[in-house]
Amino acid sequence: MKIDKKDILKALEHITVPGEGQNMVDSGAVTNIQIFGDEVEVDITIKNPSLQARKKTEVEILKIIHKEVYAKAKIKINVKVEAPDTKPNKVNEIKGKAIPGISNIIAVASGKGGVGKSTVTANLAVTLSKMGFKVGLLDADIYGPSMPIMFDVPNEKPLAVNIDGKSKMKPVESYGVKLLSIGFFTQRDQAVIWRGPMASKALNQMIFDAHWGDLDFMLIDLPPGTGDIHLSIMQALPITGAVVVSTPQEVALADARKGVAMFQQDSINVPVLGIIENMAYFTPAELPENKYYIFGKEGAKHLAEDLNVPFLGEIPLVQSIREAGDVGRPAALQSGTPVEAAFEEITRQVVSEVVGRNKTLPPTEAIKITTMAGCSAVKKK
């Protein structure tokens, strides 16, 4: 019997491609048919990589050709699997649900505790506010919240406000910075003993059940390490970029390296704006020209060069910075001091990196700075 290619195609129209819902011919799965007397060779391409799908396809082709075309046909089936590419092109994706009105979200992290990350975050926030930006600060250190003390509002409680028929938390405001912290909802001597999911839920409430209003920058003071809170924040919010704080000593740098690596993971992929070196050196008041590198010299600077991320600057080890944080008035508010100048320079570098990041990476819902045309436009009140 002479076998016609048209009859083979017509028969294969009765078979549905596994997982696609179309028949084998219309979907383009049949790539070639060759006939030699009573021998038929069929080339098929499917996208389902499972062995079950492959065997099912082969059996169905054999049955339908024997039934509809020629019962004694000798059939050879070549099944090729082309699984769809499930890995997207590597781009700097911004994840999470944007908060209307918030232009840039900067996560401030450190791999290690005790390097002054919260102090740096507080001073960055007040410096941005002094420059004329609208600033919010989320204290995401659930187990060790310090922002209420650093901003002299330890006894304040966020008020409830009605926004479009919904009750929202109104952040506490201090020195022109809007604040939310778990510290506002606990007693000063009360330990927060929560597992990860509970902590993440509390953070989501402070993020999405709050009325932040319009902000140019939201700073997030992350806890030390690379754990649940970090992942929850990056899943919940479109992070514009991350800043890593470290001291120059090798022990801190080892953890700072891990902090940078966390943000650069393919599954996270948050741009690292740079590294700040805190407690870089000590200069005694009676010897202003002297610098003592107590924790090592330029360790964070060398780490930034090694990791090919920007070095944002260094902050000296100054007693007044600690004292200012303890009394609730961030040191960057001290006009005309070297400390103010140091924080201003670093803040300008952070803003510059954000501007550059927004120009070179794909835009997202929460990305654009609208109050400046570049670093030269940073203004003081």
Side-chain angles (χ1 to χ4, degrees):
M1 176 183 173
K2 184 178 180 182
I3 301 175
D4 195 311
K5 183 176 180 179
K6 291 180 181 179
D7 293 333
I8 299 291
L9 287 171
K10 188 174 180 180
L12 294 178
E13 287 179 352
H14 294 286
I15 302 176
T16 301
V17 180
E20 294 188 27
Q22 284 185 302
N23 72 64
M24 198 159 277
V25 177
D26 291 344
S27 69
V30 180
T31 58
N32 191 33
I33 297 175
Q34 296 184 70
I35 301 171
F36 307 95
D38 62 352
E39 296 180 6
V40 178
E41 186 168 344
V42 182
D43 294 338
I44 301 292
T45 299
I46 62 175
K47 294 181 180 178
N48 191 326
S50 70
L51 180 62
Q52 181 183 2
R54 181 171 181 162
K55 290 298 181 185
K56 181 175 181 289
T57 300
E58 291 176 351
V59 170
E60 288 184 345
I61 291 173
L62 287 170
K63 284 183 177 180
I64 200 69
I65 293 177
H66 284 152
K67 179 182 177 182
E68 300 290 337
V69 182
Y70 181 44
K72 296 182 180 180
K74 298 174 183 177
I75 304 168
K76 180 181 179 183
I77 304 167
N78 303 313
V79 179
K80 181 180 179 183
V81 177
E82 284 188 355
D85 186 8
T86 57
K87 294 183 179 179
N89 293 330
K90 184 178 179 181
V91 295
N92 282 283
E93 297 173 349
I94 302 301
K95 303 169 182 64
K97 178 183 176 183
I99 304 176
I102 299 181
S103 299
N104 298 278
I105 302 176
I106 299 175
V108 184
S110 67
K112 190 172 187 64
V115 299
K117 168 187 52 61
S118 295
T119 298
V120 170
T121 306
N123 283 282
L124 285 176
V126 297
T127 304
L128 284 168
S129 179
K130 285 167 61 181
M131 289 177 172
F133 294 109
K134 297 175 182 177
V135 185
L137 199 165
L138 174 64
D139 187 355
D141 195 345
I142 294 292
Y143 306 108
S146 53
M147 291 304 167
I149 294 175
M150 289 188 174
F151 280 83
D152 196 25
V153 284
N155 300 315
E156 294 289 331
K157 302 293 181 187
L159 301 175
V161 292
N162 191 290
I163 305 296
D164 298 329
K166 295 181 180 179
S167 180
K168 297 274 190 177
M169 284 184 286
K170 182 182 180 181
V172 173
E173 190 163 340
S174 179
Y175 306 122
V177 178
K178 295 180 180 179
L179 301 165
L180 273 182
S181 168
I182 199 67
F184 292 135
F185 305 98
T186 60
Q187 300 299 319
R188 295 187 69 173
D189 58 352
Q190 178 184 354
V192 177
I193 308 173
W194 289 345
R195 292 189 186 275
M198 189 72 174
S200 299
K201 183 177 179 181
L203 276 175
N204 276 333
Q205 288 180 320
M206 288 194 291
I207 293 167
F208 296 110
D209 292 343
H211 179 57
W212 289 98
D214 292 332
L215 297 178
D216 298 307
F217 292 94
M218 172 187 274
L219 302 185
I220 301 178
D221 182 33
L222 292 173
T226 53
D228 276 354
I229 301 300
H230 304 75
L231 293 175
S232 296
I233 286 288
M234 286 180 282
Q235 288 174 351
L237 287 171
I239 305 295
T240 306
V243 170
V244 176
V245 179
S246 178
T247 55
Q249 68 189 107
E250 193 58 41
V251 171
L253 294 172
D255 289 340
R257 183 184 294 271
K258 296 173 185 175
V260 172
M262 173 186 68
F263 290 113
Q264 293 179 337
Q265 287 272 339
D266 287 345
S267 58
I268 295 174
N269 207 18
V270 169
V272 177
L273 302 175
I275 297 176
I276 295 173
E277 182 170 279
N278 193 28
M279 307 182 205
Y281 56 86
F282 171 67
T283 297
E286 63 275 13
L287 298 170
E289 301 301 319
N290 289 24
K291 290 183 178 180
Y292 298 94
Y293 298 93
I294 297 174
F295 296 110
K297 185 176 181 180
E298 298 183 341
K301 183 178 181 180
H302 295 320
L303 177 63
E305 292 171 354
D306 185 37
L307 298 178
N308 196 28
V309 298
F311 179 64
L312 299 173
E314 57 185 24
I315 300 167
L317 178 60
V318 178
Q319 183 174 335
S320 64
I321 296 178
R322 191 272 305 166
E323 292 173 341
D326 286 348
V327 300
R329 184 175 171 81
L333 295 171
Q334 301 169 3
S335 298
T337 64
V339 170
E340 181 196 37
F343 279 114
E344 282 194 352
E345 178 58 29
I346 285 175
T347 304
R348 287 177 183 274
Q349 290 297 322
V350 171
V351 173
S352 176
E353 291 299 328
V354 171
V355 172
R357 174 255 178 276
N358 291 347
K359 286 180 179 179
T360 58
L361 296 181
T364 65
E365 292 94 338
I367 188 170
K368 295 179 181 177
I369 296 177
T370 57
T371 60
M372 62 181 293
C375 274
S376 60
V378 175
K379 56 185 181 299
K380 288 189 179 182
K381 289 183 177 179

